[in-house]
Structure formats: C-alpha cells, structure tokens
C-alpha cells in the first residue's frame, strides 16, 4: 500500500483544506494486466487545487501507471482491478471516448517522461504551442514560452524540436500543456536530464503555477531535491513485489591498459553477448562543428569540439542543458552529420553517417538515448527488440536467442518474463533498462550513454553504473557518459569533458576537473 506524507514549508502557500478544492481522489486504486501482473499496487491519494503532489518510489513501483490512470490512458491490456478513482467528477479509465477527449483537451493536461516524442518534428515551436492554445495570438504563445523559462529573442520560437535541447523540449511540452488552461497538470519526471540550476528553475515554476493559476499539479519523480523544493504532499509508492538485489556501491575497478584477445564473459545467465575484443585507439572526433537552422538564422550547436573515447576508458560529458552534449553523442553514433571536422575509429576515417558505416563499425559503436522510446518499437515485445540485434550481429541461432535475451534482462535487473511485455507496459525506468540491454546485446566496443540514469531511482542508477563498470573492466569497453548527475560522473569516469554553449571549455582527469572549488 502506498504511504502518503503531508509536507509543507514556510515558502509555500498554505494548504487548502476545503472539500471543494479536492480535484482528484483515489482510494485503494489498483491496476493490473490480464495475466495478473500488478502495475500499480493499491494506492490512495487526494489532490488539491493550488498544490503540488509528488509521487515517489523505486522504478516500476507504478508512478507512471498512476498518472496514466488519472488521464484515462492505461497501457494495453491493463485495467483497474480494485479501488475507486474520481478526477474532476469523472472515472477516466471508463469514460466514453468523446468525453475523455474533452477532459484531456480542456481540464487535464499530461506531459510524459519522453516529451520530445510527442512534438511534431516538422512544426516550429511557435506553431506547436499555438496548436493547443485557446488564444493562438503571438503574444500569448510567446508569453507561455517565457513563463516556462524559455528564451524568445534568440530565434527559438521558429526552430523545430530537433534543433533544441532535451531540457528545452520538456519546457515546450509544458508550454503546450499550459496553453490548454487546465485545472490539473500531470508531469512524469519533469526534471529528468536537466542540470541543477534548471531543476531549481522548474521547481520555482511549478510553485508559481500552483499558486498563481490554482493548478493541481501531480508529478512522478526520483528527484529528492525537486520534491523538497516544491511538493506540498508526497505519496511513496512501493513495488508489488521485491525487485532483484541491487549491488552496494563500490569504487569502479580500474580499466585494463589494453584488450586481451580471449577475454571471456562471466558465467551464468547474466553473461553478455560475446564481445569481439580488438586493440585500437578508440573513437576520436576532431574539430567537430554542427549548426542548426538556415542561412540568416543558423545557430552553432557544436563549435570545433574535440573528443576521445579510448578502449577501456570511461569519459564523462557534462555541461548545462542546451550545451550540445546530446548532439555530440549523436554525431559520434552517426545519427547526425557533422558540418565540419572529422571522425576516426582506431585511427582510420569513420563515415559521418551510420548508414555509410560497415556493419562491424555499427556494432562497435552503440548509443543508449535519453528517450528510450527512440530505441524501442512500440509494436514489438521486449524479447523481439533484444532478439533482433542478437541475430544481426551476434549470429545466434533462433534456439539460442531466448536464453541470451533472459541473460540480458537479468543484467539490467529485470525478470525474464519481461520479454513478453510491450514497451507501453513498462515504467519509464524499466524501458530505459531495456534500452541499455538492447545496446549491450551486440557486445559494443564503445557505448554512448545519454542521461541513462536520469529516470532511475538512486539504487537502480547505481546498479546500472556498476554493470557498465564491470563490462568495462572485463572487456575493455569504452564508455562515454552524458549526465547531470555529477556524483555518478565523479565515481564512474576517468576523464571528463565540459561543454558550454557548444564549446569544449575544460577537459582532463575527472578528479581534477570536478574537484570542489
């Protein structure tokens, strides 16, 4: 059963106790799949106008499922199996389609964990916000962008979503939600992948929205700083069954100085796909430049950036939101062309685009994106998603694939039966772990990780970093880690690159670059 905690602070508006202010009531609400798998254990919560309610708990405890129940969008095959739910006088999971559309259009707004996937890449930000606004005037649209802490004088309103950072995409999605003038705002991990300064701005924004607009805000989050800064109430959700054991933190084992040709993987079901070990210089980028936009409105996202991911190394990439970190990873992965500069793998030229690289080079460099939905086909099961790279790159027989899939899931702390689930039936943190398993399936030499722990609870984040540290030590896998979680960068990387406004401003040993001032 969930545990509800009432929290207030001197800087917050006094809680409203009037019954008329209660907009959402859930009592013993339980959600499960047809096979009996519980996605949300019995949970009770009351949500008031003008207040912020935080949903916390480990990955897979049901936070996202609760938000989806509130907006009437449960995963396929999931139903409410116990308890009661009232949202503004309605029971969304059983509401008629036309009435549900009206509820979402005008009274309840939802911003998911992967907001970028909901933004039409062909539309400008100005049009995206106007599309959902009751008042579509330019003044209103720009006012919403300003309210969400977005700049409006640097050309951002006329850019497309792919030309802004992940943090900016989140705030664009928030502006679209606010444009509906809702009474209830539902947010899934609103600060995932954001730097601390921007997280604090978002916390202040949520307080202002609750107080100024009288909004009832419900947010699922793993961020204790965000909870402490803006939540009036906290509901802690507990998984319906214990998860697999999470290893205790430790100092990562030092990486080997080179690769040995016959290194064997660990025994048992957790063994990774066979790793083809090769000596080499690793992946390097020299003077890489990337610009978005057309002539007259071009914005330099990366400006003459150098980068190296050596065999067996772990390199952190840090910097404020919008500094070009994700763009750098996409260039290294061959998903975005570099306008200037060059890429090399083991000293030989590497084509800028992945489709022009050999299959072996594609295998050797794998990306785990910040948005796990970008790597997972919603129409294919988890097992099918993991089986495809195993057949393409590892050459496994059809009979051998299920066992390897189970081993990959075990590696990332997921039960083998998750192979039969679809991405929509998983929590955001579970989808992220499946995305990591998919990248590991082919035994990459270089693993590019974009905010892979931002949607995970601290214990699971540590377990994932421990896994990568082990693979790095055993197989000499190089890791490039983009993260705003500086404690993880400090603990699990050897060197770090600091980006600001698309420029490499500092790089060197992690202990020196990230040393306290």
């Amino acid at each position: 059963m969930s545990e509800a905690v009432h929290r207030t602070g001197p800087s917050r508006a006094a809680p409203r106790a009037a019954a008329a202010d209660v907009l959402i009531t859930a009592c013993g609400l339980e959600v499960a799949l047809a096979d009996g798998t519980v996605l949300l254990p019995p949970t009770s919560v009351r949500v008031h106008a003008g207040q912020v309610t935080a949903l916390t708990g480990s990955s897979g405890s049901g936070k996202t499922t609760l938000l989806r129940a509130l907006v009437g969008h449960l995963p396929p095959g999931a139903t409410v199996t116990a308890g009661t739910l009232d949202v503004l006088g309605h029971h969304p999971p059983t509401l008629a389609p036309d009435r549900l559309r009206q509820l979402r259009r005008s009274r309840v707004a939802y911003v998911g964990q992967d907001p970028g996937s909901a933004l039409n890449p062909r539309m400008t930000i100005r049009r995206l916000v106007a599309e959902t606004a009751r008042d579509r005037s330019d003044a209103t649209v720009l006012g919403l962008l300003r309210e969400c802490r977005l700049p409006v004088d640097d050309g951002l309103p006329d850019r497309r979503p792919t030309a802004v950072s992940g943090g900016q995409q989140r705030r664009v999605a928030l502006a679209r939600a606010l444009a509906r003038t809702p009474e209830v705002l539902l947010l899934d991990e609103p600060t995932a992948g954001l730097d601390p300064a921007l997280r604090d701005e978002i916390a202040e924004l949520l307080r202002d929205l609750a107080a100024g607009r009288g909004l009832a805000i419900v947010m699922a989050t793993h961020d204790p700083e965000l909870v402490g800064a803006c939540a009036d109430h906290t509901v802690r959700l507990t998984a319906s069954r214990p998860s697999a054991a999470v290893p205790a933190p430790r100092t990562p084992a030092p990486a080997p100085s080179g690769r040995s040709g016959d290194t064997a993987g660990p025994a048992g079901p957790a063994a990774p796909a066979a790793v083809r070990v090769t000596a080499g210089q690793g992946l390097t980028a020299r003077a890489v430049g990337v610009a978005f936009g057309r002539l007259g409105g071009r914005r330099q996202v990366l400006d003459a950036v150098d980068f190296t991911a050596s065999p067996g190394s772990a390199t952190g990439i840090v910097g404020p939101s919008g500094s070009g970190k994700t763009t750098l990873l996409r260039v290294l992965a061959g998903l975005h062309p570099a306008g200037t500069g060059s890429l090399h793998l083991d000293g030989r030229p590497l084509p800028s685009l992945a489709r022009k690289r050999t299959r072996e080079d594609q295998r050797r460099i794998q990306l785990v994106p910040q948005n796990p939905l970008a790597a997972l086909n919603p129409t294919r099961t988890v097992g099918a998603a993991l089986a495809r790279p195993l057949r393409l790159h590892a050459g496994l027989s059809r009979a051998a694939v299920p066992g390897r899939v189970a081993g990959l899931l075990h590696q990332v702390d997921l039960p083998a039966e998750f192979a039969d689930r679809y991405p929509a039936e998983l929590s955001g943190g579970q989808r992220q772990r499946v995305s990591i398993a998919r990248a590991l399936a082919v035994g990459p030499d270089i693993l590019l990780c974009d905010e892979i722990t931002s949607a995970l609870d601290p214990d699971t984040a540590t377990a994932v970093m421990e896994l990568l540290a082990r693979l790095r030590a055993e197989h000499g896998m190089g890791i490039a880690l983009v993260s705003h979680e500086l404690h993880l960068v400090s603990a699990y990387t050897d060197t770090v690159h600091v980006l600001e406004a698309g420029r490499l401003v500092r790089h060197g040993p992690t202990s020196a670059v990230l040393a306290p001032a």
Side-chain angles (χ1 to χ4, degrees):
M1 188 77 171
S2 64
E3 175 188 3
V5 181
H6 177 68
R7 305 181 61 187
T8 59
S11 63
R12 301 175 187 146
R16 304 181 181 188
D21 288 329
V22 178
L23 304 186
I24 297 174
T25 302
C27 184
L29 185 70
E30 181 185 74
V31 176
L33 297 173
D35 64 3
T37 301
V38 175
L39 302 183
L40 174 69
T43 299
S44 298
V45 61
R46 287 161 64 89
V47 177
H48 296 257
Q51 294 186 7
V52 178
T53 299
L55 308 178
T56 66
S58 62
S59 299
S61 59
K63 302 183 297 298
T64 296
T65 300
L66 177 55
L67 289 184
R68 294 181 65 168
L70 298 182
V71 79
H73 185 56
L74 289 174
T79 58
V80 173
T81 52
T84 60
L85 175 64
D86 184 290
V87 178
L88 298 170
H90 302 284
H91 182 68
T94 59
L95 208 57
D98 57 338
R99 298 185 66 187
L100 183 59
R101 283 193 296 270
Q102 183 61 30
L103 183 70
R104 294 172 178 171
R105 184 178 297 122
S106 60
R107 305 188 70 188
V108 180
Y110 175 80
V111 179
Q113 190 171 352
D114 308 310
S117 62
L119 302 178
N120 188 330
R122 297 185 176 182
M123 296 175 67
T124 64
I125 289 170
R126 188 190 305 268
R127 287 183 58 204
L128 283 167
V129 176
E131 181 184 40
T132 61
R134 294 188 176 186
D135 176 3
R136 299 188 177 186
S137 67
D138 205 48
T140 296
V141 169
L142 295 181
L144 285 165
L145 294 175
R146 290 191 190 95
E147 187 176 19
C148 293
R149 312 302 199 260
L150 286 164
V152 298
D153 300 323
D154 68 345
L156 181 140
D158 296 310
R159 294 182 200 137
R160 289 177 171 78
T162 53
V164 301
S165 70
Q168 289 170 331
Q169 288 179 358
R170 288 184 180 278
R171 284 172 282 161
V172 170
L174 179 58
R176 278 171 53 87
L178 295 175
R180 304 175 186 270
T181 63
E183 298 167 61
V184 175
L185 178 62
L186 310 176
L187 305 172
D188 197 354
E189 298 288 356
T191 58
L194 302 185
D195 61 79
L198 188 50
R199 178 201 62 207
D200 294 343
E201 283 192 40
I202 294 298
E204 181 183 0
L205 169 61
L206 297 183
R207 287 305 322 160
D208 291 346
L209 291 174
R213 291 183 175 231
L215 266 175
I217 298 176
V218 186
M219 62 178 186
T221 182
H222 287 117
D223 188 342
E225 298 296 331
L226 178 66
V227 173
C230 69
D232 298 295
H233 304 272
T234 300
V235 179
R236 297 190 183 97
L237 278 66
T238 304
S240 57
R241 63 180 180 179
S243 61
V246 176
R250 63 166 175 80
T251 302
S257 57
R259 299 185 177 194
S260 62
D262 300 313
T263 303
V275 178
R276 280 159 277 188
V277 182
T278 58
Q281 303 170 36
L283 177 62
T284 60
R286 292 290 176 262
V288 165
V290 173
F292 288 142
R294 300 178 179 177
L295 292 176
R298 291 177 67 79
R299 182 175 69 98
Q300 199 72 27
V301 180
L302 292 177
D303 189 0
V305 172
D306 293 339
F307 180 82
T308 298
S310 302
S313 69
T315 301
I317 306 173
V318 302
S321 299
S323 59
K325 303 183 299 297
T326 293
T327 300
L328 176 58
L329 285 196
R330 287 177 60 82
V331 168
L332 297 175
L335 299 180
H336 192 95
T340 58
S342 61
L343 300 178
H344 289 79
L345 183 61
D346 294 340
R348 57 180 174 79
L350 181 69
S352 177
L353 294 178
R355 66 174 180 268
K356 296 184 179 180
R357 298 176 183 177
T358 66
R359 177 170 292 188
E360 175 64 5
D361 285 345
Q362 292 173 359
R363 178 199 68 80
R364 294 183 62 192
I365 303 171
Q366 292 288 313
L367 170 68
V368 183
Q370 182 175 347
N371 171 8
L373 291 179
L376 301 175
N377 186 329
T379 67
R380 297 173 67 85
T381 65
V382 167
L386 298 183
R388 186 170 186 272
L390 289 173
R391 288 196 298 267
L392 285 177
H393 296 285
L396 293 183
S397 67
R398 186 174 296 274
V401 166
R404 185 70 75 187
V405 166
L408 287 165
L409 291 173
H410 182 79
Q411 276 190 305
V412 294
D413 193 28
L414 291 175
E417 55 265 31
F418 271 41
D420 296 324
R421 292 195 186 181
Y422 289 88
E425 297 173 346
L426 306 179
S427 72
Q430 290 166 343
R431 285 197 297 265
Q432 186 62 281
R433 282 178 277 170
V434 170
S435 180
I436 294 169
R438 185 178 185 273
L440 293 176
V442 299
D445 296 334
I446 303 292
L447 190 66
L448 310 174
C449 303
D450 191 3
E451 295 286 0
I452 61 171
T453 59
S454 64
L456 305 179
D457 62 86
D459 285 344
T460 304
T462 298
V464 166
M465 294 309 301
E466 286 290 306
L467 165 66
L468 297 184
R470 175 170 62 80
L471 293 175
R472 173 192 166 207
E474 292 174 350
H475 306 293
M477 182 176 67
I479 296 173
L481 176 69
V482 165
S483 180
H484 288 116
E485 298 176 272
L486 297 186
H487 65 289
L488 292 180
V489 176
S490 296
Y492 290 97
T493 67
D494 310 308
T495 60
V496 67
H497 290 58
V498 182
L499 296 180
E500 289 183 8
R503 286 183 168 272
L504 180 63
V505 295
R506 292 191 304 282
H507 73 280
T510 301
S511 57
V513 174
L514 297 186

